[in-house]
Amino acid sequence: MTDTSSFHDHILILDFGSQVTQLIARRLRESGVYCEIWPFNNADVEKIKAYQPKGIILSGGPCSVTDPDSPRAPDGIFDLGLPILGICYGQQTMVEQLGGKVEGSDHKEFGRAYVDVLEDNSPLLKGIWQKGAHEQVWMSHGDRVTKLPEGFHIIGKSDGAPFAMIANEEKKFYAVQFHPEVVHTPHGKELYRNFTHNICGCSGDWTMAAFKEEAIAKIRAQVGTGKVICGLSGGVDSSVTAVLLHEAIGDQLTCIYVDTGLMRANESDQVVKLFRDHYNIPLIHEDVSDLFLKELEGVSDPETKRKTIGRLFIEVFDKRAKEVGDAQFLAQGTLYPDVIESVSFSGGPSVTIKSHHNVGGLPERMNLKLVEPLRELFKDEVRVLGVELGMHEDFVKRHPFPGPGLAIRIPGEITAEKLEILRKADTIYLEEIRKAGLYDAIWQAFAVLLPVKTVGVMGDGRTYDHVCALRAVTSTDGMTADYYHFDHEFLGRTATRIINEVRGINRVVYDITSKPPGTIEWE
Ligand code: XMP
């Protein structure tokens, strides 16, 4: 539960583990409604009452309500007098808990499907779908509702789900079998808006301007006259955190930029210039590239690399923080997906794919209290906040860049020479992307220097040089991603430039792996 909720009408989303639950939150916030996602098993009725939501959404999930141990909405939730909307699994558990029936079906529906609208008067469909309409939706279900609970009636059906949309208008309970949160359900956002605005009575007063003012007030209240340090990486999250803090507490803030030597070409200069020239924020520029390179000598295992870098960050920070004086607070650009992901759906620890976010150990070691003003935001909302703070577009729209930097884009051992080769290739790649006007359409694009050498021929001579892999992905949150579909001319042009202009690379390949099964970075 956060303070923001007390200022605005808000909705509670109970998560049953769907891959797309976060999209529900995004759709709601896009229409000005603040909401939070709580795991279904971390919410009892007392806690929900205290949170005072205007309505509740039960998300989809991977389980089957026909399994005896499958999750259920908390006891008593249907007696709170609040409007409730069930999505997919949320529909099925709602039906089951209220006395209806759900069964496995041979007619499974995955992907595009169509619903026939059977009613004109439902507030859920007002202004979007009329009786007789045949509308595209996105389904993903094996089970289906076969008997309605008392008080419910059907407002829409599909081939595989005779109860695709149901309602109990008197109690304001609604449920749909499809996923209105995904873009493939074209009117899904309006359907959520009908629920939040018309049925729950939310005013839609959650704007980024309001968020900014509240965040500033909260920072001032938390920090008082204390000193805050903020680690800057040059990425969007830490930059927006720093600018917001500066607006809130002025020179009580000191930023530390750790130049690890693993940054892209000119990156350090750009970051330092921005913060010194544009914002006049006190900034310590710590150049520790020699130390990082020395400690990474001979390290080729990806996890050892990440852990070594994490440890060095802590050491450098620790040393410098003491010089800032009596700093009591550490500001971090933690985002909402990081907060939610830390609660595993099954209640157990989730598998570590990579040791991300290498400053995680800082507060404990340094005895500092955390200031995390972006904890409630998604990445794209952070960008909107950056614009609200007047930050330059170039900065706000930057692609994400990982804490361990280029170290995880050089599989195998890292050397100064390899870093230099990679920087040059990366610069050309991004130049070409910008020139083609594609930068903003891509979530992240970068070059990877492979520890593989191949034979080539240049001029009349034989070459034996590195392979460079190019990666570009589209994504909404970095959790899942697809490779970017460049045209071949673009790829050919870029590959030729890299091979011609970067000594040390004689072959270029393009990575067409999505996430999953791949990850975005190579290590
Ligand atoms: P993966 O490679 O896990 O990355 O698909 C997902 C997103 O996270 C970024 N990333 C990191 N960011 N510290 C960070 O701050 C890290 O250690 C780290 N590793 C990956 C990655 O660039 C992508 O945007």
Side-chain angles (χ1 to χ4, degrees):
M1 198 183 314
T2 70
D3 295 347
T4 300
S5 356
S6 52
F7 292 107
H8 301 282
D9 294 337
H10 51 277
I11 296 284
L12 174 63
I13 301 167
L14 288 183
D15 182 23
F16 289 95
S18 160
Q19 299 282 327
V20 286
T21 301
Q22 288 195 20
L23 292 181
I24 303 178
R26 292 164 60 92
R27 295 290 97 84
L28 263 52
R29 291 184 185 199
E30 277 164 16
S31 40
V33 176
Y34 184 76
C35 58
E36 287 183 19
I37 301 171
W38 296 3
F40 75 93
N41 52 359
N42 190 24
D44 58 40
V45 166
E46 289 314 312
K47 198 171 156 195
I48 295 173
K49 271 196 215 157
Y51 182 56
Q52 298 184 346
K54 299 279 275 187
I56 298 173
I57 296 175
L58 308 176
S59 87
C63 302
S64 166
V65 292
T66 59
D67 292 342
D69 295 332
S70 54
R72 292 289 177 269
D75 285 338
I77 196 178
F78 299 104
D79 301 322
L80 287 172
L82 290 171
I84 301 182
L85 172 64
I87 308 295
C88 196
Y89 185 88
Q91 179 196 44
Q92 294 167 3
T93 195
M94 179 194 276
V95 164
E96 224 269 340
Q97 289 181 258
L98 293 173
K101 204 166 171 48
V102 176
E103 288 175 19
S105 158
D106 291 338
H107 194 138
K108 301 183 192 310
E109 282 177 307
F110 291 100
R112 183 176 291 104
Y114 291 87
V115 289
D116 291 312
V117 180
L118 305 177
E119 263 213 20
D120 257 338
N121 304 325
S122 173
L124 190 67
L125 309 181
K126 198 172 164 205
I128 350 175
W129 294 339
Q130 273 142 22
K131 188 173 172 179
H134 185 65
E135 299 288 345
Q136 181 184 311
V137 295
W138 208 251
M139 294 273 194
S140 179
H141 69 110
D143 298 345
R144 64 184 186 182
V145 175
T146 52
K147 179 176 160 265
L148 290 183
E150 218 180 291
F152 277 79
H153 62 282
I154 313 171
I155 52 177
K157 66 179 175 65
S158 74
D159 284 351
F163 301 100
M165 293 193 278
I166 58 173
N168 177 338
E169 316 276 7
E170 191 196 322
K171 298 214 152 166
K172 299 194 176 175
F173 293 162
Y174 297 85
V176 296
Q177 180 59 74
F178 55 89
H179 289 270
E181 60 275 18
V182 304
V183 288
H184 299 92
T185 299
H187 296 283
K189 186 173 157 188
E190 289 100 311
L191 191 146
Y192 278 118
R193 194 188 161 86
N194 275 345
F195 178 69
T196 55
H197 288 62
N198 300 344
I199 296 167
C200 301
C202 293
S203 60
D205 60 351
W206 195 74
T207 61
M208 203 42 85
F211 177 88
K212 183 186 114 180
E213 293 313 318
E214 284 155 21
I216 287 174
K218 271 194 272 176
I219 293 167
R220 287 182 182 146
Q222 184 189 359
V223 168
T225 54
K227 282 194 177 158
V228 182
I229 55 168
C230 175
L232 270 189
S233 67
V236 179
D237 308 339
S238 65
S239 307
V240 172
T241 302
V243 173
L244 180 68
L245 271 148
H246 190 245
E247 195 148 327
I249 56 168
D251 57 14
Q252 285 163 256
L253 170 73
T254 301
C255 289
I256 303 181
Y257 176 73
V258 180
D259 188 347
T260 57
L262 303 167
M263 312 305 279
R264 288 169 293 191
N266 304 323
E267 186 136 40
S268 301
D269 289 347
Q270 282 171 13
V271 175
V272 171
K273 202 168 158 36
L274 179 93
F275 280 86
R276 290 220 172 114
D277 294 0
H278 287 249
Y279 292 105
N280 204 14
I281 298 177
L283 173 68
I284 297 171
H285 178 187
E286 180 82 40
D287 184 353
V288 280
S289 36
D290 290 345
L291 170 74
F292 272 66
L293 263 188
K294 191 163 159 294
E295 295 273 334
L296 286 168
E297 228 172 73
V299 179
S300 52
D301 172 65
E303 275 303 281
T304 316
K305 264 186 206 175
R306 283 173 176 274
K307 296 226 162 93
T308 307
I309 292 167
R311 172 177 58 79
L312 291 174
F313 260 114
I314 292 173
E315 285 172 16
V316 172
F317 245 80
D318 217 355
K319 185 163 153 268
R320 279 303 199 159
K322 290 200 181 96
E323 292 167 27
V324 172
D326 54 346
Q328 300 107 316
F329 297 93
L330 172 78
Q332 289 202 146
T334 313
L335 302 191
Y336 196 47
D338 306 329
V339 178
I340 328 177
E341 274 154 38
S342 62
V343 188
S344 139
F345 167 65
S346 60
S350 46
V351 181
T352 302
I353 308 289
K354 300 173 184 181
S355 318
H356 270 210
H357 308 296
N358 43 43
V359 291
L362 268 174
E364 209 180 303
R365 286 273 311 266
M366 296 171 68
N367 221 2
L368 293 169
K369 282 175 238 144
L370 277 183
V371 183
E372 294 181 313
L374 312 185
R375 267 180 83 84
E376 296 159 20
L377 301 185
F378 290 102
K379 187 116 198 161
D380 52 345
E381 291 173 331
V382 173
R383 294 193 161 116
V384 179
L385 176 59
V387 173
E388 191 66 44
L389 286 161
M391 292 176 73
H392 196 279
E393 274 218 332
D394 281 357
F395 229 79
V396 173
K397 289 190 169 172
R398 289 183 109 195
H399 290 175
F401 187 64
L406 300 182
I408 56 171
R409 294 176 179 175
I410 302 179
E413 194 186 348
I414 300 150
T415 63
E417 189 201 352
K418 285 186 192 169
L419 280 164
E420 210 37 50
I421 295 174
L422 179 56
R423 273 192 199 106
K424 285 184 182 148
D426 196 69
T427 302
I428 293 172
Y429 183 34
L430 284 169
E431 253 173 42
E432 288 297 324
I433 286 176
R434 285 209 162 87
K435 231 193 281 172
L438 299 174
Y439 188 84
D440 292 342
I442 294 170
W443 163 268
Q444 207 170 359
F446 53 89
V448 182
L449 190 71
L450 302 192
V452 177
K453 286 192 165 188
T454 67
V455 175
V457 51
M458 280 172 106
D460 288 329
R462 175 188 192 268
T463 58
Y464 187 56
D465 281 328
H466 285 281
V467 179
C468 170
L470 302 180
R471 180 102 168 113
V473 295
T474 53
S475 178
T476 47
D477 49 19
M479 301 299 296
T480 55
D482 192 9
Y483 76 92
Y484 188 78
H485 297 232
F486 285 121
D487 66 44
H488 281 259
E489 258 172 53
F490 173 89
L491 287 171
R493 189 167 62 238
T494 307
T496 305
R497 265 199 74 192
I498 291 175
I499 294 164
N500 286 351
E501 295 175 37
V502 184
R503 177 164 265 178
I505 293 175
N506 69 352
R507 196 176 292 265
V508 172
V509 295
Y510 186 53
D511 178 359
I512 55 166
T513 318
S514 59
K515 172 183 180 177
T519 52
I520 295 176
E521 304 288 349
W522 274 45
E523 287 194 332

